[in-house]
Amino acid sequence: MTQHSRTRPTRLQVQERILAAALEVFADNGFDRASIDDIARAADFTKGAVYSNFASKDELFLALMDDQVHRRVQAAEQAALEPGSGSAAEVIAAVMSSMTADQPHWHRLFLEYWARALRQPVLHERFLQHRRQLRTAITDALSRLHPDNGRRHDGDGLSDDDLGTTILALSNGFAIETLADPDQVDPTSLGRVLARLMR
């Protein structure tokens, strides 16, 4: 009789499953109440498998932040390849608007962790580095999508760094208002504002 061995997932696949489970568990329970045991069960792994890839819940959250950055940049760059996609401003505005509206669970988790990080100096430093990486990723995406975005750099217009910070600030503010009053906040308004700003 032929023995069929189970294919072992790769380390990347294990990490992806753990991150997906962590996002779900964090969103359901909140960061503080979620446990590594809960995340391991949701991912169908042992607790040891989680710890062999991520040293702590904080490491998991920071990895989730990296994953969110990657997904947004990748989505913007893929959208830019579509026929008639428009300018970099319109593409990035549409992606940010869509992902903000479609992922309320992520934004609830982000706000919870943001408040936590502000109270803990060591954690705040690590959180700060990730936010800077995110702003850089957005700035780099703007440059790759359209090196000449039509923006002025003569002192009167916004620099790429200014735009990266502004995009993040508006996206987070929009997420807060959407979470607070989803029936009244127009899900397309963020995209329109960003597109107008970035022209």
Side-chain angles (χ1 to χ4, degrees):
M1 181 179 295
T2 303
Q3 295 287 332
H4 294 282
S5 61
R6 292 181 61 187
T7 302
R8 291 172 59 89
T10 65
R11 185 174 182 82
L12 179 59
Q13 289 171 332
V14 169
Q15 291 174 346
E16 289 175 344
R17 279 173 55 183
I18 292 172
L19 287 174
L23 180 57
E24 178 181 332
V25 172
F26 286 151
D28 288 343
N29 301 337
F31 184 87
D32 288 334
R33 292 192 304 274
S35 71
I36 294 295
D37 283 320
D38 295 332
I39 294 166
R41 279 193 296 271
D44 197 24
F45 288 127
T46 65
K47 184 166 65 172
V50 176
Y51 277 123
S52 70
N53 286 275
F54 303 98
S56 65
K57 284 200 302 179
D58 289 307
E59 291 289 347
L60 264 172
F61 179 81
L62 295 175
L64 279 171
M65 278 185 56
D66 287 340
D67 185 61
Q68 290 292 318
V69 171
H70 174 74
R71 289 177 186 275
R72 282 161 169 71
V73 170
Q74 187 177 56
E77 293 187 337
Q78 288 178 345
L81 298 176
E82 296 295 324
S85 61
S87 68
E90 292 166 327
V91 170
I92 291 179
V95 168
M96 295 294 287
S97 178
S98 174
M99 297 188 84
T100 295
D102 293 344
Q103 297 182 330
H105 54 288
W106 165 251
H107 293 289
R108 282 193 297 270
L109 176 59
F110 171 79
L111 290 172
E112 180 183 355
Y113 198 85
W114 170 78
R116 182 171 183 269
L118 291 181
R119 298 187 185 102
Q120 301 184 32
V122 174
L123 185 57
H124 179 254
E125 182 61 29
R126 295 171 64 195
F127 185 75
L128 177 64
Q129 293 304 316
H130 277 75
R131 298 306 291 172
R132 289 174 176 171
Q133 290 170 13
L134 174 53
R135 288 196 296 271
T136 298
I138 292 174
T139 299
D140 290 346
L142 279 168
S143 299
R144 285 195 302 273
L145 288 173
H146 282 276
D148 181 9
N149 274 314
R151 296 192 306 277
R152 298 172 63 190
H153 294 274
D154 58 2
D156 293 329
L158 291 172
S159 69
D160 288 339
D161 287 341
D162 289 337
L163 280 173
T165 300
T166 302
I167 288 170
L168 277 178
L170 288 177
S171 297
N172 289 328
F174 181 82
I176 290 172
E177 295 305 318
T178 302
L179 287 171
D181 193 2
D183 294 333
Q184 291 295 316
V185 176
D186 181 355
T188 67
S189 60
L190 175 63
R192 292 198 303 273
V193 170
L194 288 177
R196 177 69 62 87
L197 177 68
M198 296 164 61
R199 285 176 183 167

